[in-house]
Amino acid sequence: MTKSASVALALACVFASAVLAHHEPASLGTVSLAQAVRAGGTTLSPGTYEVRLTGEHAKPLPGQSEEAVQVIEFLQNGTVVARDAAEVMPTATAQVGTSGGANTRLRVERLKGDEFVRLSTNRNEERYLIHLAVAP
């Protein structure tokens, strides 16, 4: 491979990773869970956790954009205890349902039937939804 082709390939890789890395690693906040839930196959006991964006994107469902699913981590005492995914949606100009407007605090909601818990927050004009199954 020629030197100019190698440089072009390296620049293309850097540009592609910058385009795909729209979401930077950052904290979404702290959440207190009143009951045990399952996150990424791991049971989280009741307690307080920091929820952090990793900057990685999970494989989207058909019809979703490449940035529709963000990988998140749950930390307790500074240690990652579970990884899962959050749905990422642009926030609407008007509040809808429990969207909460500019609320940046993590909100915990028990969903109908008490089989799931939804964590939601808004950050940088995007809404993050995390659905966790209630642990038996």
Side-chain angles (χ1 to χ4, degrees), residues 111-123:
L111 300 181
K112 189 175 182 177
D114 286 336
E115 295 178 23
F116 292 92
V117 171
R118 175 174 58 205
L119 308 180
S120 62
T121 189
N122 292 330
R123 182 177 185 280

Side-chain angles (χ1 to χ4, degrees), residues 70-110:
Q70 168 93 29
V71 177
I72 58 163
E73 295 175 327
F74 288 87
L75 291 89
Q76 193 169 46
N77 300 322
T79 302
V80 175
V81 293
R83 289 172 57 99
D84 209 313
E87 294 179 63
V88 183
M89 297 172 275
T91 55
T93 54
Q95 294 182 24
V96 177
T98 61
S99 64
N103 182 19
T104 57
R105 206 170 135 250
L106 275 167
R107 180 177 176 160
V108 180
E109 301 168 285
R110 291 184 74 155

